[in-house]
Amino acid sequence: MREQLNDNPIAQVAVVLVLVAVAAFMFLKPGGGGESGSSEATVAIGGTEMSQSEVASKAGEVVEGAVESAIEGGALAGATAGAEMPTSVPAPPPPHAFTAAYESGKTVVLLVVHDGGIDDRLTAAAATVLTVMPEVALIPVTVKQLPRYAAVTVGLDLNRVPALVVMKPKRLSGGTPQASVDYGFQTPQTLVQAVRDASYKGPEATYHPE
């Protein structure tokens, strides 16, 4: 019982409130004047008169029993559980055009741009080189549209634009979507190279200088 009280702040508050009520009763003297001797006041509870000392001796037992019943009945546990907040909110699925392109095995390229930016405008113009590559699906995305692609970008910690997000083809990702991100102005050459890097399948050479 004591462990449950220690772990449950709502139960602790309930105990404190009851104890305060008992203490108030104990220390309030009966009015009406008369003798100021050591006689105790009495109170009728359920038809039975009890003195202050008897109430004090029973207070702890009554409080503990009431709180234990509430815990076992699930009332306090339900209140605590109801106050818990979800730890995360799942992102909505990407738009159908993105999902269909990825499922078809293409290299999906998200070009995230900001309206009016010079680098954004030049990069968008350079990205037209990708439209003639049949294995590539180019999807321009404005900053306002970016929340629709949160399922893709949240893991990349995308923090500025223009941004080039290149998805590795599904057949090469081992069943787990993988993507890379590059920031800033892009030329047609760097765009094509990013797509080639994402779709590359083969050994990787490592250079070790002597």
Side-chain angles (χ1 to χ4, degrees):
M1 171 61 193
R2 290 188 177 88
E3 293 180 357
Q4 290 176 307
L5 289 177
N6 292 335
D7 295 336
N8 196 321
I10 298 179
Q12 294 172 2
V13 173
V15 171
V16 171
L17 291 176
V18 176
L19 289 177
V20 169
V22 172
F25 168 76
M26 294 294 298
F27 289 100
L28 286 177
K29 294 182 179 180
E35 298 181 357
S36 58
S38 60
S39 61
E40 296 185 12
T42 59
V43 63
I45 301 178
T48 302
E49 290 189 350
M50 297 180 66
S51 66
Q52 290 179 342
S53 59
E54 290 174 327
V55 172
S57 65
K58 297 293 184 180
E61 181 181 335
V62 173
V63 169
E64 186 167 336
V67 175
E68 185 171 13
S69 298
I71 293 175
E72 292 177 352
L76 295 180
T80 304
E84 293 179 355
M85 297 297 291
T87 57
S88 62
V89 178
H96 175 73
F98 174 91
T99 304
Y102 179 75
E103 293 294 334
S104 68
K106 292 185 176 182
T107 302
V108 184
V109 178
L110 293 181
L111 180 59
V112 186
V113 295
H114 186 278
D115 294 337
I118 297 176
D119 288 348
D120 304 75
R121 185 167 61 252
L122 294 175
T123 300
T128 57
V129 69
L130 301 179
T131 60
V132 297
M133 302 175 67
E135 72 279 10
V136 177
L138 175 64
I139 304 179
V141 180
T142 64
V143 173
K144 293 181 179 181
Q145 297 171 327
L146 194 56
R148 301 175 61 190
Y149 297 87
V152 179
T153 61
V154 67
L156 298 174
D157 192 24
L158 197 151
N159 52 50
R160 60 184 184 274
V161 294
L164 183 72
V165 179
V166 183
M167 299 289 299
K168 184 180 287 293
K170 185 178 180 179
R171 67 182 184 280
L172 303 178
S173 63
T176 302
Q178 301 177 25
S180 63
V181 58
D182 294 301
Y183 297 104
F185 169 68
Q186 303 290 331
T187 66
Q189 292 77 18
T190 59
L191 289 165
V192 172
Q193 187 61 51
V195 170
R196 289 177 177 174
D197 291 343
S199 58
Y200 174 76
K201 181 181 181 181
E204 296 184 2
T206 304
Y207 174 67
H208 297 284
E210 295 182 359

